[in-house]
Amino acid sequence: MTDPESRNPFALPGAEKPRAGRYDINGCRLYAEVRGTGPAILIIGACSDDAEMFAPIAERLSGFTVVTFDLRGTLRSSSDGWPCGGAQHADDAAELIRSLGLGGAHVFGASAGGIVALQLALRHADLVRRVLVFEPGYFQHSESGHALAARAGANVDRHLAAHPGDFAGAMAALSQAVQVARSGDEQAPDTSGLLDAPEGLEWYAARGAALAENFIRGDLPLTAEAVDPAALAGSGADIRFACGDRSHPVFREIASELTRIRRRPGSTDPERPDLLDGVGHMVYFAPEPVAAYIRDRCAWRVSPQDQPG
């Protein structure tokens, strides 16, 4: 993992090195990286995504203070109390925001990190400004998602029963279980091998394989969780859901349903989730459009209460 020749293929040449640190958070020690100056953005990945996987997105967000970190149980963070649920990860993220003095942070969370980001918004609305939730794996909020999760879980269970401890193989079995056959339509989502790295991105493939246990034991259980509809509808946080046009269709279903639950009568809440062109479920394979989306949605705007007298 620390081999200098193992460089993220999307890293920006000459990018400023992050300010790295470890923070005692809720009984564990979290590793975090801070880049730049300006309004704060916290990027939350999954247990199987370490800070380096999101570094290219962070590097493209100049003009912001961008924080990436390894969740509890992931790589450079300690494993005290891991595995744990989305609420614990959200509480960790909240305490990290406090430790860094970044109250009022924008948040972007993807996949299982989207689950954590949404829980952060629901549990700690006072600490966040705008929360962008990209394709959270809340499969219980979609009929097709529920069926997909059952099929994928069965594949994982069968694989681990036959090959105990082979988490990389279990992850591959899950990925193939949820693929969608191509329809012949060139605009159809390319979802063959949901978690597979595209050709030429072997760095990500190796990183993902090394963190396969985190995915199976840490991320997968989060997909069995569900959102409290009343809490989502009543939250005072600024929450937006998003999905990619290259993702499995179930993620658009989930984002659409959560957007529907969230939309409050008479509010300016979006009617539909944001759609990111050229982006699949694994957002770090498309750092340019993802960073552009975050920048656009998190651009500072003066609110009426912030305007002078």
Side-chain angles (χ1 to χ4, degrees):
M1 289 294 186
T2 58
D3 182 349
E5 295 182 0
S6 298
R7 180 172 172 78
N8 191 310
F10 292 119
L12 283 180
E16 177 185 355
K17 290 186 177 181
R19 304 181 293 280
R22 287 178 169 82
Y23 303 85
D24 292 322
I25 302 289
N26 298 331
C28 73
R29 195 163 176 79
L30 292 188
Y31 172 85
E33 296 181 350
V34 183
R35 290 174 170 82
T37 58
I41 298 176
L42 177 69
I43 296 178
I44 306 178
C47 294
S48 51
D49 303 331
D50 74 312
E52 178 59 25
M53 296 170 87
F54 285 90
I57 295 175
E59 291 170 347
R60 287 164 171 80
L61 288 169
S62 58
F64 293 92
T65 298
V66 186
V67 181
T68 55
F69 69 107
D70 295 357
L71 270 64
R72 179 187 296 253
T74 300
L75 204 57
R76 291 157 294 193
S77 292
S78 73
S79 296
D80 305 272
W82 182 87
C84 58
Q88 179 63 69
H89 286 304
D91 290 349
D92 290 348
E95 192 59 34
L96 180 61
I97 290 173
R98 293 190 185 97
S99 295
L100 292 170
L102 299 177
H106 299 290
V107 179
F108 174 81
S111 189
I115 292 175
V116 177
L118 182 54
Q119 288 301 315
L120 173 61
L122 299 182
R123 296 170 66 84
H124 303 279
D126 59 312
L127 291 178
V128 300
R129 186 176 293 242
R130 169 164 284 179
V131 180
L132 306 175
V133 184
F134 183 88
E135 298 191 358
Y138 277 121
F139 293 128
Q140 307 309 310
H141 287 275
S142 159
E143 288 188 16
S144 59
H146 190 277
L148 180 150
R151 185 168 67 251
N155 268 30
V156 168
D157 290 343
R158 281 195 297 269
H159 183 88
L160 289 177
H163 309 280
D166 180 17
F167 294 106
M171 190 172 174
L174 180 147
S175 182
Q176 292 304 313
V178 300
Q179 68 181 357
V180 172
R182 296 286 288 184
S183 65
D185 178 0
E186 290 304 315
Q187 299 303 312
D190 183 6
T191 55
S192 55
L194 178 68
L195 306 174
D196 297 342
E199 185 176 353
L201 295 181
E202 289 76 14
W203 183 93
Y204 276 100
R207 203 109 176 161
L211 290 168
E213 181 177 358
N214 288 68
F215 177 82
I216 298 299
R217 297 184 61 216
D219 295 335
L220 196 55
L222 297 187
T223 65
E225 297 182 2
V227 180
D228 179 352
L232 178 55
S235 173
D238 184 350
I239 303 169
R240 297 189 70 104
F241 295 97
C243 51
D245 70 345
R246 303 297 292 169
S247 287
H248 194 296
V250 72
F251 291 112
R252 189 179 299 191
E253 293 177 19
I254 295 169
S256 296
E257 174 61 11
L258 294 176
T259 299
R260 183 195 67 78
I261 295 172
R262 168 61 179 169
R263 193 158 194 268
R264 298 160 294 184
S267 73
T268 58
D269 295 330
E271 296 183 11
R272 59 186 62 85
D274 294 331
L275 184 64
L276 279 63
D277 293 337
V279 179
H281 185 63
M282 314 303 280
V283 293
Y284 35 69
F285 296 153
E288 293 286 354
V290 172
Y293 169 71
I294 296 172
R295 177 181 296 281
D296 177 67
R297 288 300 186 203
C298 295
W300 187 80
R301 295 178 177 86
V302 177
S303 62
Q305 61 266 32
D306 291 332
Q307 293 177 0

